[in-house]
Amino acid sequence: MIVEQIMQTKVYTLTPKDTLNDALNLMREKNVRHIPIVDEAKNVVGLITSHDVKNALPSCLKEENNKAIYDTPIEKFMVKDIIFGHPLDFVEDVAMTFYESKISCLPIVSGGKLVGIVTTSDLLTAYIELTGAHQPSSKIDIRLKDQVGTLADVLAIVKKHHANVLSILVFPDTENENSRIITIRIRMMNPLPIIKDLRNHGYEVLWPNLPGVNL
């Protein structure tokens, strides 16, 4: 999946000379938390977030009257060292950028112009849709040996029970470096027959692990 598939294309912007009050009103009116700041040529020169606004108001209240604070140009508070993304970037690469840089949004630029924005909410929505967690389904966690063919064998068992696979995730096994934890989400509300079959074939099912249920 690439960024242009999840980015918001309707982006609300302000200029450096707009005021803190303009940013506050725009955030409230449009229910947004991130506003790119653009110059006359529509180039992104800054970014202001709801967090920046909240931080700006208390610190200024100690020294200035309210009107002076709200009339202060955004350029005094905006972040100028901005990280940009491109519409053709992979979503997982963008997620890594969010994680490593500890940011909450990423302006998306193409040809030097702002074409969209991605926020943590967009990434979370994409994750939910990719995993199928928003659909009626069941999740099965299995510890598998890290060797060729094991996942294919597990999927063959799932197929035998006529269950559609919505997503497959692979995680490191913190207890055994020679194995992996596989999370399979299937479109089936009662996965117990599959779990029983997996265990009969010698697979270690970690979840669901239901006390008192003899599988």
Side-chain angles (χ1 to χ4, degrees):
M1 180 178 282
I2 57 177
V3 166
E4 68 178 359
Q5 294 176 276
I6 70 166
M7 70 182 187
Q8 302 174 41
T9 55
K10 188 172 184 180
V11 186
Y12 301 100
T13 63
L14 291 172
T15 71
K17 299 304 180 184
D18 286 320
T19 65
L20 197 62
N21 192 49
D22 292 327
L24 196 57
N25 288 337
L26 185 59
M27 287 178 182
R28 288 173 176 171
E29 179 185 349
K30 302 301 181 181
N31 193 29
V32 296
R33 297 184 296 116
H34 313 86
I35 302 176
I37 310 302
V38 299
D39 60 17
E40 295 180 356
K42 302 301 180 182
N43 297 310
V44 181
V45 295
L47 178 74
I48 192 164
T49 71
S50 57
H51 182 72
D52 298 325
V53 173
K54 289 176 183 177
N55 283 345
L57 292 177
S59 61
C60 293
L61 278 170
K62 298 176 183 177
E63 303 173 3
E64 305 177 53
N65 60 60
N66 286 357
K67 188 176 187 307
I69 296 166
Y70 287 102
D71 288 342
T72 304
I74 292 175
E75 60 186 352
K76 181 177 179 180
F77 307 105
M78 69 183 188
V79 176
K80 299 177 182 178
D81 185 15
I82 310 170
I83 302 173
F84 296 102
H86 187 274
L88 298 182
D89 287 342
F90 291 114
V91 170
E92 56 266 37
D93 293 335
V94 168
M96 183 60 69
T97 298
F98 273 65
Y99 175 76
E100 292 179 341
S101 302
K102 295 179 173 56
I103 58 176
S104 59
C105 77
L106 192 69
I108 307 302
V109 174
S110 180
K113 304 300 179 184
L114 182 69
V115 295
I117 191 170
V118 172
T119 68
T120 49
S121 295
D122 299 321
L123 288 177
L124 181 59
T125 299
Y127 172 79
I128 291 172
E129 292 179 349
L130 283 171
T131 60
H134 62 304
Q135 301 183 42
S137 58
S138 298
K139 184 173 79 78
I140 303 174
D141 293 346
I142 312 162
R143 175 175 281 122
L144 292 181
K145 292 181 180 179
D146 189 14
Q147 61 187 38
V148 176
T150 53
L151 179 57
D153 293 340
V154 166
L155 292 178
I157 294 173
V158 173
K159 180 181 178 182
K160 186 174 69 175
H161 291 268
H162 307 288
N164 289 333
V165 175
L166 297 175
S167 65
I168 301 173
L169 299 176
V170 182
F171 301 95
D173 187 348
T174 57
E175 297 181 10
N176 188 342
E177 63 179 12
N178 296 317
S179 63
R180 295 290 182 267
I181 306 301
I182 308 297
T183 293
I184 301 177
R185 185 170 291 277
I186 57 175
R187 189 179 284 119
M188 175 182 284
M189 298 309 296
N190 180 17
L192 295 185
I194 295 179
I195 295 171
K196 182 176 181 180
D197 205 353
L198 287 168
R199 286 178 172 162
N200 286 340
H201 281 79
Y203 294 106
E204 184 180 358
V205 178
L206 304 176
W207 179 265
N209 187 6
L210 307 177
V213 177
N214 185 9
L215 295 175

